[in-house]
Each structure stands twice: as structure tokens, then as C-alpha cells.
Amino acid sequence: MHTLHRFNRQDNLAAQAHFEHAIAKEPRFARAHAGLSSTWFQSAFLRYSDNPARDVEEARRFGERSVELDPLDPFANFAMGRTFWLRGNVEDSWPWLDRSTALCPNYAQGFYARAWADTIAEREQAGTESVSLALSLSPLDPFRYAMLATRALDYLIQGDTEQAAVWADRAARSPGAHVLILLIAVIAHALNNNRHRAAAWCAEVRARRTDLTQAHFFSSFPFSDGTLRRCMSKALSEYGF
């Protein structure tokens, strides 16, 4: 899990090998299947490979196997729920994520995942409450950067671009923050009319990934086609994405 949470291609492959080794030793180890699902999820979400369709399918396959082996495991339900994001079916993830936190009321990552799903669906109040709970339950969580980024997106939904920029900066500077989090910082500062900060984050994005496009961003963050998405798309276009 420590290797998985480094959020880069090489360590994700290492984590995948660990989970595969665990399954080879104990084929009914549900959490190893959930962990393997998470590696394929990360590969699809961050486009580590040139075959994202395969990555999506593998994430789903191992997620299903994990809940089949242990339907009462919060991590298995969490992993299964997130697989729906990869197909743009955000609302279909809600029952699985709710089940993960019902099974373990202290499961911060489950609350964060529900907050993310609520935010992408632009259910701002629900997302705000869940991400606040996640941060309070696990202030040093490996997904802290994502929790902070979710709060930034909440503020964008509310139209408060100044606070969105503040939280986006916090997210992008947090340990483990991947390149899509930096792209949220570009968007937040662009919409807050701070071209200097937006350009600075843009340069960091390009230093990490020269191939990143807004098509990738909206594939991973499937906002519905509306005013917010159009504003975000315009902001990304202005900075070459």
C-alpha cells in the first residue's frame, strides 16, 4: 500500500507485483484483489499505459473479485466503487462508497471518495461535509492532496474562485500530488484571474507531462456538460491544454 500511494508509474507497477504475489500465495485474499484493482485504477486514471480500456476493465474485474471474496471489507467496497468513475458513471459509485463507510465509520478514504463523487456530480454541500470529515479523520492521509483538491473544486462550484485557488495551491503542494491535481491549480488560478500563478503551475505540469490534454482531465474528472465545465475547458485552452 505504501508503494501504491507514491502515485507514479514505476511504483504503481511495483505495488501491482506485490499484490499479484500475495494473490498467488493466497487466492482468496480479498484485500490483495482490492489493491490490485487500485493499481489498475491508478493506471487508467493517470494514463500510465497506452491501453486505458484494458486498465479500466482490469480495475473492474479485480474490484468485483474483491467484494465477491469479502463483501464486508470496506477497502473492497471502496475499490469497487471507484471503478465506476473510470466509465463516467459517478453516481453508480455512491452505494459502494456509502457501504464502505457504513462498514467502517472511521474510513477516511471512503468519505473522501464519496466527497469527490458528490463534487463531480456538483452536489456541493454533500461534498463539503464528506471531505471535511475525511480530513478530520485522517489529517496525514496519503490522499490528503486529493481531499484538498476536492475542497478546491467545491469552491469552484460555489463560484468562489479566490478560495478555490487557495485550496488548489494547498493540494498541489501536498505530498503525492499527481499531475492532474496541479492542473486543478492551473484552472483555479486562471478562473481567479491570476495569470502569473496559473502560468507557474502550467510550467510545472508541462515539466511532468508534456502529453497532458484537457480530454484526459475530463475523462478522469467527468463533470457534466454545463457552465462550470465550459469555464474550466476555456481556462485549460488558454494555457495550451
Side-chain angles (χ1 to χ4, degrees), residues 188-230:
H189 284 289
L191 295 180
N192 196 42
N193 296 315
N194 188 332
R195 299 189 64 82
H196 174 73
R197 291 296 301 148
W201 283 119
C202 179
E204 290 207 33
V205 170
R206 289 307 188 196
R208 290 201 198 182
R209 290 280 295 268
T210 58
D211 62 336
L212 197 63
T213 67
Q214 65 171 278
H216 176 188
F217 179 82
F218 286 118
S219 174
S220 297
F221 291 81
F223 282 93
S224 59
D225 187 16
T227 302
L228 177 61
R229 177 168 175 148
R230 287 192 290 271

Side-chain angles (χ1 to χ4, degrees), residues 4 11 50 54 61 64-66 71-72 86 89 96-99 132 164 171 182 195-196 213 216 218 238:
L4 173 69
D11 284 312
D50 58 1
R54 176 208 59 195
R61 182 166 71 91
E64 288 179 344
R65 182 58 174 156
S66 67
L72 300 182
L86 299 174
N89 301 327
W96 295 99
L97 301 176
D98 286 344
R99 183 175 169 83
S132 296
L182 275 60
R195 299 189 64 82
H196 174 73
T213 67
H216 176 188
F218 286 118
E238 289 176 355

Side-chain angles (χ1 to χ4, degrees), residues 120-179:
I120 295 301
E122 298 186 39
R123 299 177 73 244
E124 58 191 74
Q125 189 60 41
T128 299
E129 292 172 357
S130 293
V131 79
S132 296
L133 182 55
L135 285 165
S136 67
L137 286 169
S138 185
L140 298 178
D141 199 272
F143 281 110
R144 177 176 171 81
Y145 73 87
M147 297 174 185
L148 297 173
T150 300
R151 176 57 62 81
L153 292 173
D154 277 338
Y155 278 114
L156 283 181
I157 293 169
Q158 296 172 38
D160 189 341
T161 58
E162 183 176 355
Q163 280 300 308
V166 170
W167 285 86
D169 275 348
R170 293 176 183 173
R173 292 186 184 121
S174 294
H178 55 69
V179 69

Side-chain angles (χ1 to χ4, degrees), residues 36-100:
L36 199 51
S37 174
S38 295
T39 65
W40 287 109
F41 173 90
Q42 189 177 137
S43 183
F45 195 83
L46 295 176
R47 297 289 177 88
Y48 289 154
S49 78
D50 58 1
N51 191 352
R54 176 208 59 195
D55 298 347
V56 170
E57 192 58 39
E58 291 295 270
R60 179 64 176 268
R61 182 166 71 91
F62 285 105
E64 288 179 344
R65 182 58 174 156
S66 67
V67 294
E68 177 185 338
L69 290 169
D70 189 353
L72 300 182
D73 188 325
F75 180 41
N77 284 271
F78 165 86
M80 182 63 201
R82 291 201 307 165
T83 65
F84 289 94
W85 300 355
L86 299 174
R87 299 178 185 274
N89 301 327
V90 175
E91 293 185 11
D92 288 342
S93 73
W94 292 346
W96 295 99
L97 301 176
D98 286 344
R99 183 175 169 83
S100 75

